[in-house]
Amino acid sequence: MPSLFEPITLRSVTIRNRVGVSPMCMYSSDDGFATDFHLAHLGSFAMGGAGLVMAEATAVSPEGRITPRCAGIWSDDHVDGWARAVRFAKSHGATVGLQLAHAGRKAGMAPPHSWEGPRGAVAPARGGWEPIGPTDQRFDEHHARPRAMTGEDIERVKGAFADAAARALAAGFDTVEIHAAHGYLMHQFFSPLSNTRADAYGAGSFDSRVRLLVETAREVRRVWPERLPLLVRLSCSDWVEGAWDIEQSVEVCRRLRDEGVDLIDCSSGFVAPGIEHPFAPGWQVPFAERIRRDSGVPTAAVGEITTPAQAAAIVEEGRADLVFLGRAMLRDPRFAWRAAKEITERGAGAPLAAQYNYAVG
């Protein structure tokens, strides 16, 4: 089986190792713009040897933001800020991706920073907006009630994802990822816990509930070059009996494969409040293993992957093709380099930036 520090090729893109940085919301944008923070944030992981560096959930429309401080790519004006960060990260050898997102009924919330004021939905007078969703059912009492999407809204969302992908290409990203996890819009449509629509995008059937995700992938692939990989982050289980589960996830991954999706970033949960999630080291790795085996699509494993040995074992045992780390990377942006030093004979596969390596390498 491949090593954590062997390269992997998706379409024409070769990633230098199998250590990825998960897309993590940083709540550090104004009107969606990437800033110096994003250059430093993403650049630090590239300088630390990570193979694939994913930028945070980036809204394809203003109302798709989780908070007013979330990143965006709904305007051509957003391209230059992202391009600067991408150029810097790529200059240090990383492959760089952008997660395209729409929060749906979970949009319009205050950022989780204590200095931003009280938590909860942001009032219109403070820069908030009316969210949209598959129905007018709100996530919980802290979220605003969404407006149920019309057919025109659905077409507009699919177009917004495609337009955002085209802007990501202009900014120089090597890959884009459709966010279909964690209770955001795509997940809201395919989960029976949140989609009770009575039309062709609901109606209680699997085919109708997955239609928005499958059609959005088709629209994105239409504008995203054949030479570049397309990823999807998928919630593989709702953790509720009778709701979305791994069997349905395998089936939708087969359909996404046929639409040109190259890798599934396997996460789970968070579509409805009050559901217990079994947090533990590697708790979501079995999803990546099952989808990889049964759908034929390469996978990334996420969730409480915190040590070099744990990450290496996941790849070497064939449970996933890459590992994505979030909090572990925030704690140590040089995780990949440090892991390579521990695991490989000469620290090969995850080079530290030359400006540092001559002193500490």
Side-chain angles (χ1 to χ4, degrees):
M1 299 303 297
S3 158
L4 185 64
F5 295 102
E6 289 181 11
I8 180 172
T9 299
L10 300 174
R11 297 193 184 241
S12 69
V13 174
T14 297
I15 304 168
R16 63 184 172 187
N17 58 54
R18 290 147 189 267
V19 180
V21 179
S22 280
M24 295 175 279
C25 294
M26 291 289 107
Y27 311 107
S28 298
S29 296
D30 291 315
D31 200 26
F33 284 91
T35 67
D36 288 348
F37 173 87
H38 297 89
L39 184 149
H41 175 66
L42 301 176
S44 66
F45 305 128
M47 294 173 73
L52 175 57
V53 177
M54 294 297 300
E56 64 198 81
T58 301
V60 301
S61 62
E63 72 276 6
R65 291 171 293 170
I66 305 167
T67 78
R69 296 297 306 278
C70 286
I73 196 161
W74 65 79
S75 168
D76 292 346
D77 293 338
H78 291 135
V79 170
D80 285 349
W82 283 120
R84 182 168 175 253
V86 170
R87 282 193 302 270
F88 182 78
K90 290 172 74 167
S91 76
H92 286 278
T95 300
V96 188
L98 183 68
Q99 187 182 68
L100 306 178
H102 193 300
R105 69 178 186 172
K106 294 178 83 171
M109 298 294 286
H113 299 329
S114 59
W115 63 85
E116 293 281 358
R119 296 295 302 276
V122 179
R126 294 180 51 236
W129 58 88
E130 180 185 49
I132 59 175
T135 72
D136 65 355
Q137 178 187 8
R138 61 182 180 170
F139 178 75
D140 63 17
E141 67 274 15
H142 303 295
H143 288 71
R145 185 170 299 281
R147 175 175 61 81
M149 292 170 65
T150 65
E152 291 77 10
D153 292 324
I154 289 172
E155 293 303 314
R156 190 158 43 246
V157 163
K158 290 188 290 184
F161 271 87
D163 291 344
R167 294 186 186 103
L169 181 65
F173 285 99
D174 300 300
T175 185
V176 291
E177 176 179 87
I178 298 170
H179 197 350
H182 303 166
Y184 298 124
L185 186 65
M186 295 294 156
H187 187 189
Q188 290 163 27
F189 267 83
F190 64 72
S191 172
L193 297 180
S194 48
N195 186 351
T196 56
R197 295 174 69 95
D199 64 1
Y201 288 89
S205 75
F206 172 85
D207 289 343
S208 297
R209 286 185 283 107
V210 302
R211 182 177 174 184
L212 178 60
L213 174 56
V214 171
E215 290 181 349
T216 298
R218 184 180 306 152
E219 288 299 302
V220 169
R221 179 46 85 186
R222 182 177 57 80
V223 301
W224 192 245
E226 285 295 316
R227 61 185 173 83
L228 298 179
L230 172 61
L231 282 54
V232 169
R233 170 162 275 195
L234 186 72
S235 268
C236 300
S237 173
D238 287 339
W239 297 103
V240 174
E241 187 174 353
W244 185 260
D245 56 24
I246 185 59
E247 285 74 22
Q248 294 173 84
S249 294
V250 169
E251 177 56 31
V252 78
C253 288
R254 292 179 179 135
R255 300 186 188 196
L256 292 170
R257 176 197 62 200
D258 293 344
E259 298 296 340
V261 171
D262 301 290
L263 183 136
I264 304 296
D265 175 4
C266 299
S267 191
S268 69
F270 308 109
V271 74
I275 298 172
E276 292 188 8
H277 297 75
F279 300 111
W283 65 293
Q284 299 181 115
V285 174
F287 297 133
E289 183 176 18
R290 173 75 183 277
I291 287 173
R292 184 179 190 268
R293 184 189 72 214
D294 292 354
S295 74
V297 184
T299 60
V302 305
E304 297 295 327
I305 300 170
T306 59
T307 69
Q310 179 191 15
I314 290 167
V315 173
E316 290 165 8
E317 293 168 5
R319 306 187 74 191
D321 298 276
L322 294 95
V323 293
F324 277 178
L325 297 92
R327 290 178 177 87
M329 283 288 181
L330 294 180
R331 297 184 190 105
D332 181 6
R334 300 181 181 89
F335 178 98
W337 170 76
R338 181 169 56 80
K341 294 283 284 186
E342 289 183 17
I343 292 171
T344 70
E345 184 176 343
R346 291 157 55 180
L352 189 65
Q355 295 90 333
Y356 302 156
N357 190 59
Y358 83 94
V360 300

